[in-house]
Amino acid sequence: MDRQIRRVAVLGSGVMGSAIAAHFANAGIPSLVLDIVPRDAGDDHAARSAIAAQAVAAMKKTKPSPLFHARRLALIETGNLEDDLPRIAEADWVIEVVKEDMAIKKIVLGNAAPHVGPDALLTSNTSGLGLAEMAATLPDELRPRFLGTHFFNPPRYMKLFELIPTPDTDPAVTSFVADFARGRLGKGVVMAEDTPNFIANRVGVHAMMATVKVMEEMELSVEEIDALTGPAIGRPKTATFKLADLVGLDTFLHVADNLHPLVPDDEAQAVFQAPEYLRRMVEKGLLGRKSGGGFYKMEKVDGKKVFTTLDLATLEYRDKQKVKFPEIAQAKTIDDLPARLKTLAFGKGKAGQAIWKLLAASFSY
């Protein structure tokens, strides 16, 4: 069939849901974004749809912007999952982007299934939950059009796109989504097996957890780890802990907790055990940028931005420390990344020892 994507529906308006809708808007594709009805919302539709509406409106102030231009917001409609669910029948592609919780995802997908159009796609933006288990809850006729489409945060800027078919997914559907993601959404598509956390998060969580182990072993600070794992070794400025703050520590903990019990035969299973301070941070609501503070916090004092860092022992914020590694400063003069990595990893100072431990853990895994 001559399949086209003229309109999408996004179920869930959180950090990822609204940003995915924004990226479709960047591609000129309108969307309907739905979320739950707030408690005590009454009968007024605007009040009942406030969660989605507020999430989408908040993107005007999000930095970096998820939108090419604020005018693109006109392509995004909002509603709620009770009153407006029948409207997803208008969409050619329905994307579930709710909390990374299998039980919740099954409920949302099950509620959506009767309203998905006869030729429309249904996908889950899970970062590592089992797609076959989700598919088992869907009607037989819908399963060939169901698969995993894992966008990465923030969708406008992250090229990676994992595509995870189930045994029931029509290969033609998989091929279409891959071509569309590359050609229209500008993605780099990686096919993944339906295994715990797929590829990127399996490797990424391992790298993060291995980094935590090295930090504890070598008594390094949060700032020192970020100095070692950022541009110096060819990674973004977000490095390790700034990236965790961006992704959301509740999301990160969910990913780790989902993975650990599912890989009993993995030689690195113990590495996937989340540190206790991360659990305590989530319990206290220190979730990263979306809560105003995680490993780092930014406040304005007398009109100036002041950054502080969380003390992992006390969970209290302290002054952000300046980091000085002579090896890092010297390596900045080496433009060629492979040569710089080799110089750093085989260096004899503390930075070299740490970088070797970090890279060796990931490479061997």
Side-chain angles (χ1 to χ4, degrees), residues 18-281:
S18 54
I20 288 172
H23 195 57
F24 274 95
N26 292 334
I29 299 170
S31 64
L32 172 67
V33 178
L34 306 180
D35 213 313
I36 60 173
V37 175
R39 292 180 180 177
D40 305 319
D43 297 326
D44 179 69
H45 185 265
R48 292 172 63 80
S49 305
I51 291 177
Q54 290 169 6
V56 170
M59 290 194 293
K60 293 178 182 178
K61 298 181 180 180
T62 301
K63 293 182 180 181
S65 177
L67 297 155
F68 287 173
H69 193 283
R71 286 194 296 266
R72 296 284 180 168
L73 278 175
L75 290 173
I76 305 175
E77 291 184 77
T78 57
N80 67 74
L81 287 166
E82 293 182 21
D83 306 324
D84 302 300
L85 201 54
R87 290 190 59 196
I88 69 174
E90 305 164 11
D92 301 301
W93 184 351
V94 179
I95 309 174
E96 169 272 307
V97 201
V98 299
K99 183 179 179 181
E100 194 72 351
D101 182 299
M102 179 63 82
I104 294 174
K105 286 184 178 292
K106 285 181 176 180
I107 291 171
V108 172
L109 290 168
N111 290 341
H115 305 290
V116 176
D119 298 314
L121 306 175
L122 175 64
T123 71
S124 172
N125 185 66
T126 176
S127 60
L129 297 179
L131 275 306
E133 184 176 346
M134 295 183 208
T137 67
L138 300 174
D140 291 346
E141 65 273 14
L142 185 52
R143 293 181 192 178
R145 292 177 279 128
F146 175 75
L147 69 165
T149 47
H150 183 201
F151 290 81
F152 286 75
N153 187 30
R156 175 184 171 185
Y157 302 93
M158 293 294 285
K159 187 178 179 71
L160 181 59
F161 180 84
E162 286 183 321
L163 195 56
I164 313 99
T166 77
D168 295 323
T169 305
D170 183 346
V173 168
T174 303
S175 179
F176 170 82
V177 175
D179 290 344
F180 183 88
R182 291 189 191 99
R184 191 71 180 272
L185 300 179
K187 295 299 179 184
V189 177
V190 173
M191 299 299 300
E193 298 285 346
D194 188 12
T195 54
N197 281 38
F198 316 134
I199 301 171
N201 276 357
R202 181 72 166 265
V203 174
V205 173
H206 178 275
M208 174 69 174
M209 294 307 196
T211 298
V212 168
K213 302 294 185 188
V214 172
M215 180 175 72
E216 295 171 349
E217 177 187 335
M218 298 187 66
E219 298 183 349
L220 296 167
S221 68
V222 168
E223 294 96 333
E224 286 175 324
I225 286 293
D226 276 355
L228 293 169
T229 58
I233 61 171
R235 295 180 184 172
K237 291 180 180 179
T238 47
T240 296
F241 293 111
K242 291 174 187 172
L243 177 61
D245 279 352
L246 177 62
V247 171
L249 302 185
D250 52 343
T251 299
F252 180 67
L253 182 60
H254 260 293
V255 170
D257 282 348
N258 287 336
L259 177 59
H260 183 264
L262 296 178
V263 289
D265 299 323
D266 192 311
E267 72 274 16
Q269 190 198 28
V271 175
F272 293 115
Q273 186 72 50
E276 187 58 32
Y277 60 74
L278 179 60
R279 211 169 294 282
R280 289 167 54 211
M281 288 172 69

Side-chain angles (χ1 to χ4, degrees), residues 330-350:
Q330 184 179 359
K332 287 182 179 178
T333 64
I334 305 173
D335 291 331
D336 181 65
L337 179 59
R340 186 165 74 245
L341 280 174
K342 187 174 181 179
T343 299
L344 285 169
F346 293 103
K348 295 182 179 180
K350 191 173 185 179

